[in-house]
Amino acid sequence: RRITTETAAYRTGHRLGNNMFARVVSMLFGERFGDLLSGYRVFSRRFVKSFIVSAGGFEIEAEMTVHALTLHVPMREIDTVYRSRPNGSESKLNTYRDGIRILGSIVTLFREERPLTFFSLVGLFLIVLALVLIYPVFIEFLKTHTVPRFPTAILATGLVLSGLFSFASGLILDTVTRGRREAKTLAYLAIPLPAEMPAVLSEGVDWHE
């Protein structure tokens, strides 16, 4: 976790975005931590051998964190001193473009690692939307015993069916995801632990944006 007292070291927009993304990941995957986007990390050989990189930008930090959370890998945050960049150097991070990419990556990871929850939420949204649309049609039917707004009724029916299909897809994909997660866990455990565990990094490491 990056700690700094220098205003120029950690731009306000980046700090807010980091906190927001950390909260989103904590809410979706059930683990609280302070710094999601820090690139200063130490991995075990087990972790490296079980992790397949698919991200191509700053969203890789979110991908590594989610991989660790889904495998229940032991993690620890260590405070590191975060200083401003040296004169003449510029950050490659684009606040809005990379922020959108990171958010998209988190949503994709949530869909891939928690498909039952993801598609159940999608299905619930579709069914609720269908109920909202069909409510005035149903009230009118009770009063007149006619259904003059067939397109709305057909749309609501389609939304309900889509919601049910979404829930069914979540069930199927959840089974597939469990098998894939078990394979990753076996790949992680197949790597033997070192004879002597390395010492924990001491606090106070300097780090630049």
Side-chain angles (χ1 to χ4, degrees), residues 43-120:
F43 309 109
S44 66
R45 185 169 180 266
R46 275 182 161 186
F47 184 91
V48 173
K49 290 294 184 180
S50 66
F51 178 62
I52 300 176
V53 180
S54 61
F58 288 98
E59 62 270 25
I60 190 173
E61 286 88 356
E63 187 174 346
M64 290 187 293
T65 301
V66 171
H67 178 72
L69 292 176
T70 54
L71 292 186
H72 303 288
V73 175
M75 295 186 298
R76 179 185 175 187
E77 283 189 310
I78 299 176
D79 292 345
T80 58
V81 178
Y82 191 54
R83 303 185 186 279
S84 57
R85 299 181 62 86
N87 293 331
S89 63
E90 296 181 0
S91 174
K92 297 180 180 179
L93 177 63
N94 183 288
T95 303
Y96 299 104
R97 181 194 63 202
D98 291 313
I100 293 174
R101 292 180 62 181
I102 293 169
L103 181 59
S105 176
I106 293 173
V107 173
T108 300
L109 290 168
F110 178 52
R111 183 194 66 199
E112 293 177 351
E113 300 297 338
R114 300 287 190 272
L116 180 57
T117 304
F118 178 85
F119 286 100
S120 295

Side-chain angles (χ1 to χ4, degrees), residues 50 71 177-190:
S50 66
L71 292 186
T177 299
R178 288 176 182 271
R180 181 165 51 85
R181 189 178 301 135
E182 290 175 359
K184 290 194 297 184
T185 301
L186 291 175
Y188 174 80
L189 296 177

